[in-house]
Amino acid sequence: MNNQLKPCPFCGSTAHVSISDCEMGRRRYMAYAECDNMDCEAMLDTELFEDEEEARQEVIKMWNRRVNNGYSERF
């Protein structure tokens, strides 16, 4: 699976992934993708996962998703 984040969809800056963990009877992980441009503040996060890598891959997939997938339609 792709571990690279696309540039921010709002400002075009680079982005990074962070992982947060918590104990709720068992260890769970939430991943965040955040724009590196402090003026942009774009961020999204995942639900809780039991596997850290699964959370990371899910947030990468979510961040990299684009509505038109890079293609524009002409009418």
Side-chain angles (χ1 to χ4, degrees), residues 16-48:
H16 67 276
V17 172
S18 300
I19 303 291
S20 175
D21 66 334
C22 63
E23 293 262 351
M24 297 173 60
R26 61 184 183 251
R27 186 164 304 277
R28 309 278 276 179
Y29 300 92
M30 180 181 286
Y32 303 84
E34 300 177 82
C35 178
D36 291 335
N37 177 353
M38 295 180 80
D39 293 326
C40 179
E41 299 183 9
M43 185 201 68
L44 60 84
D45 58 24
T46 65
E47 60 188 72
L48 291 170

Side-chain angles (χ1 to χ4, degrees), residues 49-73:
F49 286 87
E50 292 184 16
D51 181 75
E52 181 178 354
E53 186 59 25
E54 189 177 359
R56 179 184 311 280
Q57 292 304 318
E58 181 64 17
V59 82
I60 291 170
K61 182 175 82 173
M62 291 166 53
W63 180 269
N64 287 346
R65 184 178 179 276
R66 302 297 193 258
V67 172
N68 67 3
N69 240 4
Y71 301 101
S72 61
E73 292 183 26

